Amino acid sequence: MKHFTSIKQLGDLKEALAEAAYVKANPFADQALGRNKTVLLVFFNNSLRTRLSTQKAALNLGMNPIVLDINQGAWKLETGRGVVMDGDKSEHILEAIPVMGSMCDMIGVRSFARFESRDDDYNEVILNQFIQYAGKPVFSMEAATRHPLQTFADIITIEEHKTKARPKVVMTWAPHPKALPQAVPNSFIEGMSMTDYDFVIANPEGYDLAPEFVGNAKVTHNQDEALAGADFVYAKNWAPYREDIYGKVVNYDMGWTVTAQKMALTNDAFFLHCLPVRRNMIVSDEVIEGPRSLVIPEAANRVVSAQTVLKRLLQAL
Ligand code: CP
């Protein structure tokens, strides 16, 4: 694996899950693999879980992690070519990226959708510049359209808790005061397409995700219908993909909040969310604190997910 930007690059999911289970049971078994190797973690956006879990994964593998917060202490970066740099941006990303690449063995990048241009977001302009100019393996720590390390942790968590071979998994939109990217739901759909779970997406009208990600997945605009008999409920907000309302908040319907009443429609489902989550917008206190909430083990599995991927990248160096 040269770069890691989509969960599909894991290849055979069963093999990846077996590898993840091994990593979880033997977190320090591959310390020699990362000795004298440096991983640079570049954040254009905030993070708690990704920042901690990727560093922890690197340390478990014997690597040296360096964290660079672009917006705190680094020069402000220009990303457009041909721009006359007479404003507040002191450095161009096309110099910054190869410099970063010269100081590490691999680079993780977090760069969210900006919602300025759907084409720019869906062309992954920032992530692809790293792949083109870093000269080192690049892995996504959440880009504009995908969050594969999150999805891998989600699937590991579902596998650890499922009680039937083919659970019903519902990914439901839920309300949020700000426009959020589509990376997590897009990636989750990609991940579900690698399983044989009974997978359903529920979202309001106007919130259908990009057809290239939705593919043949079942989509309904009726949340209650989707939740009936669900074994896992994955809640997430996302802003619309539709061109005329791309990245805008057009629906604030609190009837989509995942409450105990909603969970009562399910087959005593487990509750999942990638975090951070806004309580009593996305999910009620009662549900997230309840016995079927998996949000903490799900977050903890981010270490396992990152370590499995970093291990593969190290093996390919
Ligand atoms: N789920 C997730 O990626 O969390 P952070 O944004 O805190 O890294």
Side-chain angles (χ1 to χ4, degrees):
M1 195 164 64
K2 173 83 173 135
H3 302 290
F4 180 71
T5 60
S6 159
I7 184 145
K8 290 195 169 173
Q9 289 157 339
L10 289 177
D12 186 283
L13 183 62
K14 280 203 174 79
E15 272 177 29
L17 287 166
E19 210 173 319
Y22 177 83
V23 162
K24 188 164 183 169
N26 306 278
F28 309 116
D30 295 298
Q31 285 257 319
L33 200 56
R35 190 167 300 136
N36 298 331
K37 296 283 186 283
T38 299
V39 57
L40 175 61
L41 308 177
V42 181
F43 288 89
F44 287 83
N45 309 98
N46 295 340
S47 166
L48 187 154
R49 277 141 293 274
T50 306
R51 176 184 298 269
L52 295 180
S53 63
T54 315
Q55 287 183 80
K56 174 71 176 151
L59 291 167
N60 286 354
L61 287 164
M63 303 181 83
N64 304 308
I66 301 176
V67 177
L68 179 65
D69 284 297
I70 293 292
N71 297 322
Q72 285 172 19
W75 300 109
K76 271 195 174 180
L77 293 179
E78 177 57 61
T79 56
R81 291 191 81 227
V83 174
V84 177
M85 290 174 57
D86 59 356
D88 63 342
K89 292 174 180 165
S90 309
E91 178 154 25
H92 202 286
I93 197 165
L94 295 182
E95 283 80 57
I97 291 173
V99 170
M100 293 182 212
S102 74
M103 296 181 187
C104 65
D105 298 284
M106 61 181 73
I107 304 187
V109 181
R110 164 161 287 202
S111 174
F112 291 170
R114 297 174 177 185
F115 290 140
E116 288 165 7
S117 151
R118 193 175 78 169
D119 283 349
D120 281 359
D121 289 343
Y122 273 73
N123 286 327
E124 291 286 7
V125 169
I126 302 289
L127 186 66
N128 283 329
Q129 283 181 325
F130 272 87
I131 289 172
Q132 195 174 349
Y133 299 110
K136 295 288 160 63
V138 172
F139 61 95
S140 165
M141 300 195 297
E142 185 170 347
T145 62
R146 292 178 176 86
H147 193 358
L149 289 174
Q150 179 65 51
T151 301
F152 191 27
D154 298 336
I155 296 176
I156 292 168
T157 311
I158 292 173
E159 285 292 309
E160 288 174 342
H161 290 86
K162 73 179 189 186
T163 54
K164 57 173 83 151
R166 196 166 174 267
K168 179 174 179 181
V169 178
V170 176
M171 181 177 78
T172 179
W173 180 94
H176 192 274
K178 292 183 178 169
L180 294 185
Q182 294 136 10
V184 169
N186 287 344
S187 250
F188 193 71
I189 298 170
E190 279 193 331
M192 291 298 100
S193 76
M194 296 165 73
T195 72
D196 59 358
Y197 303 160
D198 176 11
F199 176 56
V200 182
I201 305 166
N203 58 257
E205 301 271 0
Y207 278 77
D208 289 352
L209 289 157
E212 72 215 58
F213 283 97
V214 173
N216 296 325
K218 278 182 257 174
V219 180
T220 174
H221 299 137
N222 184 329
Q223 190 191 45
D224 288 0
E225 191 182 281
L227 292 176
D231 299 300
F232 292 87
V233 174
Y234 193 98
K236 186 72 188 84
N237 175 271
W238 61 86
Y241 172 77
R242 217 174 72 191
E243 183 86 73
D244 57 325
I245 50 173
Y246 179 69
K248 297 184 167 58
V249 177
V250 296
N251 187 325
Y252 207 80
D253 185 354
M254 298 292 281
W256 283 73
T257 301
V258 178
T259 59
Q261 202 179 7
K262 294 280 184 180
M263 292 298 279
L265 300 170
T266 70
N267 180 30
D268 196 19
F270 286 109
F271 176 81
L272 294 156
H273 188 282
C274 62
L275 305 180
V277 70
R278 292 198 183 224
R279 285 175 173 225
N280 305 309
M281 290 289 310
I282 301 272
V283 58
S284 68
D285 291 325
E286 195 181 0
V287 170
I288 198 165
E289 292 173 11
R292 305 299 278 176
S293 172
L294 293 179
V295 296
I296 305 305
E298 181 185 4
N301 274 334
R302 289 293 306 277
V303 177
V304 183
S305 155
Q307 191 168 334
T308 307
V309 168
L310 290 185
K311 183 179 164 184
R312 285 191 176 190
L313 291 171
L314 281 168
Q315 285 166 334
L317 280 180

